[in-house]
Amino acid sequence: MIPIHVLNGPNLNLLGTREPGIYGSATLADIERDLRARADALGVALAFHQTNHEGELVGLVQAAGAAGAGVLINAAAYTHTSIALRDAIAGSGVVAVEVHLSNVHAREAFRHVSLIAPVCAGVICGFGPDSYALGLDALARLLAGPAASASQD
Ligand code: DQA
């Protein structure tokens, strides 16, 4: 089984009621449930976390690295502010994919900058909960290696 840790940053615990015009009506529990079903089909062992605290997110990235797991991360507002998170991704050696529910590039200018994108393998944004599903597919393929990727094409 491919180990993947899905890490969610601040305020994502409020999904479902938080600015539904931007983030939709799905809750984080809905997203987790759908991802777990997809992970089973992909042969991925999923761990799922949410925290409102920057240091805890850093610790979760480090723990994923120590466990040899890939990271699917919606760092929420810390995407745009956290050098510590960027350093944790770079320093722990994790393969990470950045996801966002909303299209951050169609929003305020401060959301156009991601401090973590340069140390992630790729970025998916703007597809609501499907951003997570697409990110999981991409990360699983990446971690399975080029041979597995070619056989799925
Ligand atoms: C978000 C986008 C961020 O700019 C914002 O701070 C969030 C959610 C998204 O999933 O669209 O909290 O990461």
Side-chain angles (χ1 to χ4, degrees):
M1 294 278 264
I2 301 167
I4 291 181
H5 293 193
V6 183
L7 307 183
N8 293 280
N11 300 305
L12 294 172
N13 54 313
L14 298 179
L15 287 178
T17 55
R18 175 192 181 198
E19 299 181 89
I22 297 173
Y23 298 116
S25 57
T27 65
L28 197 59
D30 294 334
I31 292 172
E32 178 178 359
R33 189 196 57 231
D34 290 353
L35 272 192
R36 287 199 180 282
R38 206 172 185 91
D40 286 349
L42 290 168
V44 164
L46 207 76
F48 197 93
H49 301 280
Q50 189 275 329
T51 176
N52 291 323
H53 303 281
E54 183 177 11
E56 201 175 331
L57 203 52
V58 166
L60 287 167
V61 169
Q62 293 180 2
V71 166
L72 184 68
I73 185 164
N74 184 349
Y78 290 138
T79 305
H80 318 297
T81 62
S82 181
I83 297 169
L85 187 59
R86 177 199 172 112
D87 287 352
I89 294 169
S92 61
V94 290
V95 176
V97 169
E98 174 184 346
V99 297
H100 301 282
L101 294 151
S102 64
N103 179 357
V104 287
H105 300 289
R107 300 181 62 194
E108 303 95 327
F110 63 83
R111 295 185 205 275
H112 299 178
V113 175
S114 167
L115 298 189
I116 66 170
V119 293
C120 287
V123 182
I124 297 172
C125 73
F127 299 101
D130 282 351
S131 292
Y132 284 77
L134 294 166
L136 186 69
D137 287 357
L139 184 55
R141 288 173 68 129
L142 210 53
L143 295 173
S149 186
S151 70
Q152 288 166 25
D153 289 334

